[in-house]
Amino acid sequence: MTFLPKPSEPHELSDRVLFPFPPEIDFSNADELLPLITSQARPRPDRRPRVVVLDLSSTLFMDSQGVRLINEVRRLLHPETLVYVVARPDGVASRVLELTGLRRDVPVYDNVPEAMAA
């Protein structure tokens, strides 16, 4: 039996941090997610994340608050920390990223293994 990570439960892999997003991102939870992500991605004495992967592959609904959240994460992290996004190509999150133009500014991958290997 495979146990999948709970959405919004961060996972650290060497110099990369994987942060699964919840099924819905909107005004009701976007502000709560920001400190969770930044606390996991900020440098500490024992490690300095080089890449933060935001996994939206399980996100079924996302409005402009999700876009704002991703932009805030990028703004608040160390300038050398890269932010990658995972979004299913046929999913709502992918479409929102495309419509808002954020897809041009942030690398978007189809699956987690691709993003973690980049």
Side-chain angles (χ1 to χ4, degrees):
M1 178 180 286
T2 303
F3 293 97
L4 299 174
K6 294 178 184 174
S8 304
E9 187 175 292
H11 303 279
E12 296 178 36
L13 303 170
S14 64
D15 64 341
R16 296 167 188 265
V17 174
L18 172 63
F19 193 92
F21 271 42
E24 295 184 5
I25 305 167
D26 57 22
F27 72 93
S28 69
N29 64 356
D31 287 339
E32 296 169 9
L33 292 171
L34 184 60
L36 293 174
I37 297 167
T38 56
S39 69
Q40 289 298 313
R42 287 221 166 107
R44 295 192 299 233
D46 60 331
R47 70 167 178 86
R48 175 180 223 118
R50 190 175 63 82
V51 176
V52 175
V53 177
L54 305 176
D55 180 9
L56 281 77
S57 59
S58 296
T59 301
L60 304 174
F61 176 81
M62 182 172 98
D63 62 13
S64 61
Q65 291 301 309
V67 173
R68 182 191 60 78
L69 174 62
I70 294 168
N71 276 325
E72 284 294 300
V73 168
R74 292 173 56 219
R75 185 181 68 79
L76 292 173
L77 293 181
H78 189 276
E80 294 175 9
T81 304
L82 302 172
V83 175
Y84 297 159
V85 173
V86 175
R88 290 187 346 258
D90 60 343
V92 170
S94 183
R95 185 73 176 137
V96 170
L97 295 173
E98 184 178 328
L99 289 172
T100 60
L102 188 62
R103 197 175 185 103
R104 290 184 310 249
D105 301 332
V106 179
V108 179
Y109 295 89
D110 293 344
N111 57 60
V112 171
E114 274 183 14
M116 295 301 281

